[in-house]
Amino acid sequence: MESRQVRHFLAAYETGTFAAAAERLGLSQQAVSKSILRLEAQLGVRLFERDGRRVRPTAYAELFLPHARTIVAEGDRFRADLGDMLGGRHGRLRVGMGPSAAADVVATAVKELTAERPGARLTMLAGVYEMMVDDLIQGRLDVLVSLRQTDRIDPLIREELLGDMRYVVVAGANHPLATKPVVSLQDLSVARWLVGANIGAVERSIEASFRAAGVPRFRPGIETTSVLFTLAMLDGGGYLAILPEMLVARDVAIGRIVRLNVEAEPWTRPLVVATRVRGPRAPLVNALVEKLQQAMARPRG
């Protein structure tokens, strides 16, 4: 199997015709068709059903697809690393990060990494866990650092646990509950709420706490994916929110918002660093993972 055959397969899969694939690749339709026929012969299966001008992926093509994308991603990564080495640079890294990790752990690790390797080129991209997993598998990211918001782990990625991240209830300094020593779940159930639209699996823990206490769970008045909007709304003193503790640590420290002492078991989700299973991990990836582990292990105020 040759890497160009894999690229031809991906082009045909994504465009739906050999003609469109050939146009994208700058080749003749006959060349693309012959290349895919050779690939099918080597694999011993049909990847496409030919239906006039169009082609339909078979079940074998769907099975091959994530592997093909990984093969192409690793090849592109090698060429980029080789170009960096020949140009006197020290590697490049594309890091996906959830907002909770970006607020502290990733920033600390990157500061230390770039201090030791000033020639490294880093691209830092924020996003939602499930979407970034797809980017990681397809080679658009090299590393993903995020709270895991689903209990399903894709078999094409490798996850390492950095630690558990605690979710806390926060309010503006002027909120009626801000000065209460202990806040009950009953207090929370009647409050006005602003919640994250992508809070994920931690919702089950929150629901379990309210169910065990025999208290109806609060209903959110506003849902949002914006942390900045959430903090701005909390400033007004009218809403509560549940956010990862690390994400709000600085705002709590300066008194912008208050962390409530809630009478309930802690709500947590694992913070993970993920890389692709296939292909060797680049030295720069290993260095970042080590810095992340060190940053997470340090005590925090």
Side-chain angles (χ1 to χ4, degrees):
M1 184 193 311
E2 300 176 10
S3 62
R4 62 185 176 85
Q5 294 173 322
V6 178
R7 292 180 187 275
H8 298 169
F9 160 79
L10 288 174
Y13 182 95
E14 291 164 3
T15 62
T17 71
F18 287 162
E23 184 177 354
R24 175 189 288 188
L25 296 165
L27 299 171
S28 70
Q29 181 176 338
Q30 185 180 28
V32 172
S33 179
K34 285 184 176 180
S35 176
I36 292 176
L37 281 172
R38 285 194 293 269
L39 177 60
E40 289 177 324
Q42 291 166 1
L43 295 176
V45 296
R46 288 183 68 84
L47 297 172
F48 296 104
E49 295 293 345
R50 281 69 169 171
D51 184 10
R53 295 183 60 186
R54 299 200 63 80
V55 292
R56 290 183 292 105
T58 65
Y60 300 113
E62 300 294 348
L63 178 64
F64 182 52
L65 180 64
H67 303 282
R69 286 174 170 163
T70 301
I71 290 168
V72 169
E74 293 300 333
D76 290 343
R77 177 57 195 259
F78 168 73
R79 280 187 287 274
D81 287 345
L82 181 60
D84 286 341
M85 182 178 291
L86 293 174
R89 297 181 292 271
H90 300 288
R92 70 179 69 187
L93 202 56
R94 296 159 297 181
V95 182
M97 53 190 175
S100 307
D104 194 325
V105 175
V106 175
T108 299
V110 167
K111 287 175 189 175
E112 296 181 0
L113 181 68
T114 53
E116 293 180 4
R117 301 172 182 238
R121 301 167 59 192
L122 275 68
T123 301
M124 313 301 296
L125 302 168
V128 178
Y129 174 83
E130 288 191 311
M131 294 179 63
M132 290 192 294
V133 164
D134 188 55
D135 288 337
L136 179 65
I137 292 170
Q138 296 190 35
R140 292 188 288 267
L141 293 174
D142 303 305
V143 182
L144 166 58
V145 190
S146 176
L147 288 175
R148 188 200 295 143
Q149 297 292 17
T150 174
D151 291 325
R152 178 185 60 83
I153 303 175
D154 194 291
L156 293 178
I157 67 170
R158 175 194 302 110
E159 284 190 352
E160 296 177 48
L161 178 65
L162 292 173
D164 285 328
M165 192 81 79
R166 182 171 182 170
Y167 279 77
V168 294
V169 179
V170 290
N174 297 323
H175 194 281
L177 296 177
T179 57
K180 193 170 183 179
V182 179
V183 177
S184 69
L185 293 179
Q186 182 63 48
D187 293 328
L188 299 185
S189 70
V190 297
R192 298 171 70 196
W193 282 88
L194 186 149
V195 302
N198 295 313
I199 194 170
V202 76
E203 278 194 294
R204 291 197 292 273
S205 298
I206 296 170
E207 289 172 356
S209 294
F210 280 85
R211 192 165 51 247
V215 175
R217 185 188 162 181
F218 59 86
R219 293 186 177 182
I222 301 174
E223 289 190 359
T224 179
T225 59
S226 170
V227 174
L228 291 176
F229 175 76
T230 300
L231 294 175
M233 290 294 292
L234 291 176
D235 281 341
Y239 286 89
L240 300 180
I242 296 176
L243 293 169
E245 185 174 31
M246 191 176 291
L247 181 63
V248 298
R250 288 186 174 86
D251 291 286
V252 171
I254 64 176
R256 180 183 180 186
I257 59 176
V258 176
R259 171 186 162 181
L260 303 187
N261 181 21
V262 177
E263 201 171 31
E265 291 295 316
W267 305 319
T268 64
R269 287 302 295 168
L271 180 67
V272 298
V273 54
T275 53
R276 286 185 294 279
V277 169
R278 286 176 172 78
R281 283 206 325 204
L284 195 58
V285 172
N286 289 329
L288 177 62
V289 171
E290 182 180 349
K291 295 298 182 187
L292 288 166
Q293 292 168 338
Q294 293 171 356
M296 192 67 185
R298 294 191 189 113
R300 293 186 151 72

